[in-house]
Amino acid sequence: MAKKTTTSKKRAVSTDYGADSIQVLQNVEHVRARPSMYIGGVNKDGLHHIVWEILDNSVDEVINGFASKIQVTLSADRKELTIADDGRGIPVDKHPKLKIPAVVAVFTQLGAGGKFDGESYRHSGGLHGVGAAVANALSERLEVRVKRGGKIHEVAFVRGVQEGKLVSRGKARGTGTEVFLRPDPTIFGQKALLDPDVLRQRIEAKSYLHKGLTISFVDESTNKTEVFHHADGIAEYLDKLITVRGKPAVHKGHFYIERSDDPKLELALAWTEASETTINSYVNGVPTPDGGTHEQGLRSGLGKALRAYMQAHKLEPKGLTIGLDDIREGLIALFSVYVLEPQFQSQTKNRLNNPEVATQIEGVVRPALEQWLHENRSLGDAIVARVILSARARAASRAAVSSVTRKAAGHAKIGLPGKLADCGSNDPAKCELFIVEGDSAGGSAKMGRDRHTQAILPLRGKVLNAAQASIAKVLKNEELGNIVKALGCGIGKDFDIRGLRYDRVILLMDADSDGHHIATLLLTFFYKYMPELIRSGHIYIGQPPLFRVDVGKQTHWAADDDHLKRILAEIKQGKPEIQRFKGLGEMMPKTLKDTTLDPKKRQLIRVGIADELATDRTIHDLMGKDASMRYEFIMERAADADEIDI
């Protein structure tokens, strides 16, 4: 009786559903029918994944001490690849149950491998006996040559199916395995090509992970051969990553540990000026881009070690919560761990799931890092300073987000402040912003400036103390708000230095105690809410004169009282006439230009941070809400004060 069917525009579906409707696909057939189940997809990543399966088998021989050399050869047309090692060679004798050569079983039977009992391989990246068979099933052609027992043994496969018998011939010195494969274009596409850059990166990473390994990459498409061997392992790899990221480390010495007992691991890490966190982790030599329990243990160990160090040396800032994100910000870590029975999330091995590993890793990392911090106080303090700055920036960002969400979406683009006398140039590299004290000083500066490259923003009196104010108050403050608008790089979470409209931001205050106080308030604001401007060298302090000394036709400018005394001491003839400027507003525009604005004549002090931790302490002790810190500071130095400006 014919089966009844219902038809649609897409396809015909049988209404009969019996035992004969159940298909049983095994081994090669199942892999080819559902490749994404085994390699994650038939895209570029999947194409290279079948290479990693073969490469990892060779690396497993290295991990367990049976091989030291691997060669990877990419064909000129980039459609074929050969991987050879000097390991033990895959067994070629007949399997007692399957009655076929073991090497044939490895490449045709899912679940056939030598890594189940823990005897042939103590640590291994391949555990399921699937990888070689998957690579074979998805290859148009795959050939295996094994050197073992003094002979060369060869067998070939076409789309996973054995072609001819295993052949043994000639004489061979040593042992090893060579696998040639050509990925199947009917699976990956006719235009699919192996990428030499992708291959090179993985090969180089392997050479760093395994100190004794020498791995060669022969790229016939460019006639180039590279040999990778790194005696210092991942410690050397860390230096390279820091260089590639382009962000220097905040401490000179790297933290490094190596452990041979279970859990066997190697870890190298450093904190950098970068805002992102980079953790490259590996389990049994296999990269785990999605992390897993080993990374959980690492993160927990880092956090507990840093917090214990801060508590021991009383470095915890008052009123500030340090989170794990603050501790990890800027971190670059290379972490390689070996697990006896790893449980990966899938055949692609992107994530480790062993629950016991997290506790094991934390138990190793925490005491080792804590001891290293105590033994290297200067490095430890530099790391803590980096963490505190991150925490303050994150707190400011949260407050800024809370404030910004209350504003209408249409206000995202904020206009320039009305008091700003902007410059004509649109090239930030050539532009300067002078933040001046008062409208009268602003008037003189506007008339004495170079209108093409110099912008002037006058402030009204002393600005808000940002160390004692919330981000909401800072954003509502007119004077500080005008600075944020003029700079154009945002604040808090929205800060992006690429939007900075001026290469130099120059604080131009009167050369008296009030001017110094205003400059201090502005520096506090920049340090708390725009620290990257200081770190990048964009903040300067102008040096206007406090005195004018005329002797005959000569004019001298004195920055302060001590400078005035030195000038007067050098005058041998004539009677000096001394004029003390009460403020910049008293200066004629030409005088202000000649002494303070003209790049050829002026003096500027670039603001920098020599010691992050000391700077953080000073600003938050002397400018923060706790008045007792300031009182103590003043009383300790009261005897040194010659004159108090009230």
Side-chain angles (χ1 to χ4, degrees), residues 589-604:
K590 185 178 185 307
T591 300
L592 187 59
K593 176 183 178 180
D594 290 342
T595 61
T596 315
L597 301 178
D598 188 347
K600 296 179 180 179
K601 301 178 181 179
R602 72 190 181 191
Q603 289 185 341
L604 299 178

Side-chain angles (χ1 to χ4, degrees), residues 502-522:
Y502 309 95
D503 183 66
R504 291 186 179 89
V505 180
I506 302 169
L507 311 186
L508 187 54
M509 312 300 149
D510 293 344
D512 56 15
S513 59
D514 280 344
H516 297 329
H517 189 198
I518 294 173
T520 301
L521 291 168
L522 289 172

Side-chain angles (χ1 to χ4, degrees), residues 361-374:
I361 298 303
E362 179 190 322
V364 174
V365 172
R366 178 184 178 180
L369 178 57
E370 190 174 341
Q371 180 180 352
W372 180 81
L373 292 169
H374 288 307

Side-chain angles (χ1 to χ4, degrees), residues 92 151-154 166-170:
V92 294
K151 293 185 178 181
I152 298 176
H153 311 272
E154 297 180 341
L166 175 68
V167 177
S168 301
R169 60 177 177 79

